[in-house]
Amino acid sequence: MVDTFYAIGLVMRVCQSISLLELLHIYIGIESNHLFPRFLQLTERVVILFGVITSQEEIQEKYVVCVLFIFWNLLDMVRYTYSMLSVIGISYAVLTWLSQTLWMPIYPLCVLAEAFTIYQSLPYFESFGANSTMLPLDISTCFPYVLKLYLLVLFIGSRAHVPSISERRYKLYLCCTLTINELLLLSVLFPDNRYHAPGRASTSRTWHKSDARG
């Protein structure tokens, strides 16, 4: 776990850089998603990965980095698979359910892990003065203060995902409804098959008996 960043750090940086193209996909309509919440989430990851973890070698050895990478990859694995299949018109009920519900417990844990990562990096930035710059008129900008301010933005930005709960519930309800309708349609088209709606099996057996008597 300590060597997580040294093992997959380069891959994570490349993948997060490529994920910025998702904003373009949303803008031109390839992916049906809200632009502003995705922009906030991608900004969070870029700041944490490049501004905090990559710039401080001491943070790269923390266990929280491994936990954070697990949460990020778990969410992306489900979300990108669901989005890719949706674009080509393929839908699976289990994958839809995971896509619309898995983020509810995982995303708050991601925010807490990101906040804890920033909290652990503050002493190193304060002692080494890394990423601190001097502005004109002798106004100094210290990166630790920027990170402290960003902690507030991090929790406020996480609230942008709350309004989409009702939309996710609607998508989940729609998927479940379509699945039930497909099963009912199969039970009607193939009454002798194993796809039986409730009450169809007894009706089918009664029909066969009356037909045999006739």
Side-chain angles (χ1 to χ4, degrees):
M1 295 180 66
V2 177
D3 298 332
T4 300
F5 185 83
Y6 301 104
I8 62 172
L10 177 61
V11 177
M12 289 295 296
R13 292 195 295 269
V14 172
C15 291
Q16 289 302 317
S17 300
I18 296 176
S19 68
L20 295 175
L21 293 175
E22 186 177 357
L23 299 177
L24 178 62
H25 295 166
I26 297 174
Y27 180 76
I28 64 179
I30 297 179
E31 181 181 352
S32 59
N33 207 333
H34 297 286
L35 181 62
F36 184 65
R38 291 300 303 148
F39 172 77
L40 290 178
Q41 187 174 12
L42 290 176
T43 302
E44 292 173 7
R45 295 190 180 188
V46 169
V47 172
I48 298 297
L49 182 58
F50 292 95
V52 177
I53 299 177
T54 303
S55 62
Q56 285 294 335
E57 187 175 354
E58 292 78 8
I59 300 299
Q60 299 171 8
E61 302 175 354
K62 302 294 184 180
Y63 289 102
V64 68
V65 175
C66 178
V67 175
L68 187 59
F69 284 179
I70 290 175
F71 288 154
W72 282 356
N73 292 326
L74 185 61
L75 286 176
D76 288 347
M77 180 178 62
V78 175
R79 184 170 57 84
Y80 284 125
T81 304
Y82 170 76
S83 299
M84 179 186 65
L85 293 178
S86 298
V87 169
I88 60 179
I90 300 177
S91 176
Y92 293 100
V94 175
L95 185 60
T96 303
W97 181 83
L98 286 174
S99 176
Q100 305 303 327
T101 59
L102 183 64
W103 70 276
M104 294 182 183
I106 298 299
Y107 184 73
L109 295 177
C110 283
V111 175
L112 291 177
E114 291 171 357
F116 188 69
T117 303
I118 294 177
Y119 176 77
Q120 286 192 322
S121 68
L122 289 177
Y124 300 103
F125 283 110
E126 291 173 352
S127 58
F128 299 143
N131 293 345
S132 297
T133 58
M134 183 69 66
L135 296 179
L137 302 178
D138 295 332
I139 301 176
S140 62
T141 301
C142 191
F143 193 65
Y145 291 104
V146 177
L147 289 179
K148 291 177 182 179
L149 180 62
Y150 182 73
L151 281 175
L152 298 176
V153 179
L154 182 64
F155 287 102
I156 294 174
S158 64
R159 297 289 297 175
H161 292 264
V162 175
S164 63
I165 292 180
S166 59
E167 181 180 351
R168 290 175 181 265
R169 286 179 177 175
Y170 174 75
K171 290 182 179 179
L172 185 60
Y173 168 77
L174 185 61
C175 175
C176 295
T177 303
L178 290 176
T179 303
I180 294 174
N181 290 336
E182 289 172 358
L183 291 176
L184 291 175
L185 181 60
L186 287 173
S187 67
V188 173
L189 295 178
F190 305 100
D192 296 330
N193 204 296
R194 60 187 179 91
Y195 299 101
H196 285 294
R200 291 288 302 179
S202 60
T203 304
S204 178
R205 287 194 296 268
T206 303
W207 182 85
H208 283 297
K209 289 180 182 180
S210 62
D211 183 67
R213 292 175 183 175

